[in-house]
Amino acid sequence: DTGVSQDPRHKITKRGQNVTFRCDPISEHNRLYWYRQTLGQGPEFLTYFQNEAQLEKSRLLSDRFSAERPKGSFSTLEIQRTEQGDSAMYLCASSSVTGLSSYEQYFGPGTRLTVT
Amino acid sequence: TQLLEQSPQFLSIQEGENLTVYCNSSSVFSSLQWYRQEPGEGPVLLVTVVTGGEVKKLKRLTFQFGDARKDSSLHITAAQPGDTGLYLCAGEANSGYALNFGKGTSLLVTP
């Protein structure tokens, strides 16, 4: 399977703990995006990378959140000092800026975070 | 943020019926994508429309992009229980950048 993969699929943590999620994009895709989705809402943009460069961050990405894509391949999203309001589905997507389909983003299965 | 309004929010129909869901905005998008999402899973891309007035068909699903590239519709013919899911539209102001999503239309098709 060459789709976007995310790990873990589910994470339960206590308030105040740090968590880290991983995303492996489609191998030939150079753009990688993070979104957050809460119940009853569509996904909301958090940040995106082109290769290893982080090009845009949403105001939703507070200073407790940090994302990296050190070698332009997989990415990690870390949340420090988790709060109950961080409970959500964290989605990763990837796309390619070359070719005719540069606007098509393909999503992974998501990581469901529950903060207790 | 460019807002996308989807309607209806919920739709429950019987197998075999036709339906249309709408995605509207006051903003112009360079492209618009439709996704279908099942509980606990990520959105799955159904179609991308780019040109104003464009119509695309995917089996029983017909997608249309408005002439002004501000709105779109999804029509399903002879709905089946397998069509059940959350249908999301997402607009892209500029190619390759963040998608702005609507809240989705939750469709339930009963046998």
Side-chain angles (χ1 to χ4, degrees):
Chain A
D1 184 20
T2 57
V4 179
S5 61
Q6 293 187 245
D7 184 71
R9 292 293 311 276
H10 304 275
K11 178 70 177 179
I12 300 174
T13 191
K14 292 185 177 179
R15 184 167 53 92
Q17 298 294 306
N18 299 343
V19 293
T20 300
F21 310 139
R22 175 179 171 126
C23 170
D24 287 86
I26 294 171
S27 59
E28 63 269 27
H29 284 182
N30 49 10
R31 287 207 170 173
L32 186 149
Y33 310 78
W34 285 99
Y35 293 83
R36 182 177 72 182
Q37 185 177 25
T38 53
L39 197 63
Q41 302 292 321
E44 296 173 292
F45 169 74
L46 293 177
T47 187
Y48 88 91
F49 294 83
Q50 179 160 330
N51 300 314
E52 66 276 8
Q54 188 173 17
L55 296 186
E56 187 177 353
K57 292 193 286 187
S58 159
R59 59 177 175 78
L60 293 175
L61 209 68
S62 76
D63 56 7
R64 295 185 297 105
F65 288 69
S66 62
E68 294 182 342
R69 194 183 183 198
K71 298 183 180 180
S73 56
F74 73 91
S75 175
T76 58
L77 177 67
E78 180 183 17
I79 308 175
Q80 296 182 324
R81 306 181 302 282
T82 53
E83 301 173 356
Q84 287 187 320
D86 297 331
S87 295
M89 174 78 91
Y90 289 84
L91 294 162
C92 175
S94 69
S95 72
S96 172
V97 293
T98 59
L100 296 176
S101 302
S102 63
Y103 33 72
E104 294 186 337
Q105 295 184 23
Y106 295 89
F107 283 80
T111 294
R112 167 71 65 187
L113 172 67
T114 302
V115 182
T116 61
Chain B
T1 302
Q2 298 158 297
L3 298 177
L4 280 163
E5 300 287 337
Q6 289 191 243
S7 61
Q9 189 175 357
F10 300 98
L11 190 55
S12 180
I13 61 172
Q14 290 194 319
E15 183 176 3
E17 292 184 23
N18 301 333
L19 67 118
T20 303
V21 299
Y22 300 92
C23 174
N24 295 296
S25 175
S26 58
S27 302
V28 176
F29 293 100
S30 62
S31 69
L32 194 140
Q33 302 177 38
W34 283 92
Y35 292 84
R36 178 171 164 268
Q37 185 177 27
E38 297 194 16
E41 299 293 330
V44 175
L45 181 65
L46 296 174
V47 78
T48 301
V49 286
V50 179
T51 306
E54 182 177 6
V55 176
K56 281 193 174 179
K57 291 190 175 184
L58 184 65
K59 297 183 180 179
R60 293 175 295 100
L61 279 60
T62 302
F63 304 85
Q64 185 163 7
F65 201 14
D67 290 341
R69 291 186 291 133
K70 294 183 179 180
D71 54 82
S72 182
S73 64
L74 159 60
H75 182 79
I76 302 179
T77 303
Q80 298 177 359
D83 295 327
T84 293
L86 180 68
Y87 289 83
L88 294 159
C89 68
E92 188 174 41
N94 295 292
S95 179
Y97 292 80
L99 290 174
N100 295 301
F101 280 86
K103 291 186 178 182
T105 292
S106 182
L107 173 65
L108 174 65
V109 183
T110 55

